[in-house]
Amino acid sequence: YDFNFVEEISEDFMCSALCAKVLHDPQLTACCGQHFCKSCLQNWFTKHNRVSCPYCREENINYIADKSLKRKIDELKVRCSNLEAGCSWVGELSTLSSHLQSEQGCGYIEVDCTSKCGVKLNRKDLADHIAHHCPRREYECQYCEMVGTYQSITGEHYNACKKYPLKCPNDCGETKVPR
């Protein structure tokens, strides 16, 4: 893992001799008792075309998932990956994914407008965009009460609305003459 951990990480939680990051899916070797990320071990085996220990080089090694160590790693405190954008969330590593992905989670994740107007914005700004700025938000003609999108009502509809007020063509000064 490559996250913004709150506290300094013990060497016990680091991948031995390969990626040197916090273990992801930790595997324990039977030969020398070293820990490696599962993906690091698999990449090592593929790269060297044999199942050998990256640490002691023993051939045909056995290894198992270290679930106890995984639980300890999952309990480590991390900061949101959007800290620099302004998110102040801190929580356990195991909950970071739900913080980032849930609708009520991190407000600093870039999302597409749900009305499909093409705008990308921070999740925290989406409700205001939909309510006040999105050209595809629901909008009612103030003259005839027809409902459509803001874009369609203020554009095409106003040009054809039977109740849209116009200036009198006879220059009588009246400014609220329906079409």
Side-chain angles (χ1 to χ4, degrees):
Y1 290 112
D2 193 17
F3 295 114
N4 188 348
F5 290 93
V6 173
E7 297 175 1
E8 192 169 325
I9 303 302
S10 165
E11 288 292 319
D12 296 338
F13 298 141
M14 306 301 277
C15 182
S16 301
L18 292 179
C19 73
K21 294 180 181 178
V22 173
L23 289 156
H24 181 81
D25 196 3
Q27 304 295 305
L28 175 65
T29 60
C31 53
C32 60
Q34 294 295 315
H35 285 99
F36 301 95
C37 302
K38 185 175 185 177
S39 60
C40 288
L41 265 183
Q42 291 170 340
N43 289 339
W44 174 268
F45 299 156
T46 301
K47 181 179 177 183
H48 294 87
N49 204 22
R50 60 187 175 176
V51 181
S52 65
C53 177
Y55 192 79
C56 72
R57 305 291 198 254
E58 185 172 318
E59 298 286 331
N60 300 317
I61 64 165
N62 291 315
Y63 58 96
I64 59 167
D66 191 334
K67 294 177 182 176
S68 175
L69 186 58
K70 177 163 179 26
R71 282 190 297 276
K72 290 176 184 174
I73 291 170
D74 283 346
E75 292 171 353
L76 294 173
K77 299 287 187 201
V78 294
R79 292 180 185 89
C80 179
S81 50
N82 294 309
L83 175 69
E84 289 184 19
C87 186
S88 59
W89 180 89
V90 173
E92 291 184 355
L93 177 59
S94 63
T95 62
L96 178 61
S97 178
S98 63
H99 166 70
L100 294 172
Q101 296 172 359
S102 76
E103 291 295 319
Q104 297 77 34
C106 183
Y108 295 88
I109 294 288
E110 188 176 85
V111 295
D112 292 322
C113 171
T114 54
S115 294
K116 298 180 176 33
C117 73
V119 169
K120 291 184 179 292
L121 64 163
N122 285 338
R123 184 184 289 144
K124 68 180 182 59
D125 300 325
L126 182 59
D128 180 64
H129 170 75
I130 295 291
H132 304 289
H133 306 288
C134 181
R136 300 193 75 183
R137 69 186 180 273
E138 190 174 281
Y139 194 76
E140 181 179 289
C141 174
Q142 62 192 24
Y143 308 109
C144 71
E145 299 177 351
M146 179 181 164
V147 176
T149 65
Y150 176 82
Q151 191 172 30
S152 68
I153 296 294
T154 60
E156 303 158 8
H157 174 73
Y158 278 172
N159 291 330
C161 178
K162 300 291 185 205
K163 294 187 178 180
Y164 187 86
L166 300 172
K167 183 179 173 189
C168 177
N170 298 324
D171 285 328
C172 72
E174 182 64 41
T175 58
K176 296 187 180 186
V177 178
R179 279 189 214 273

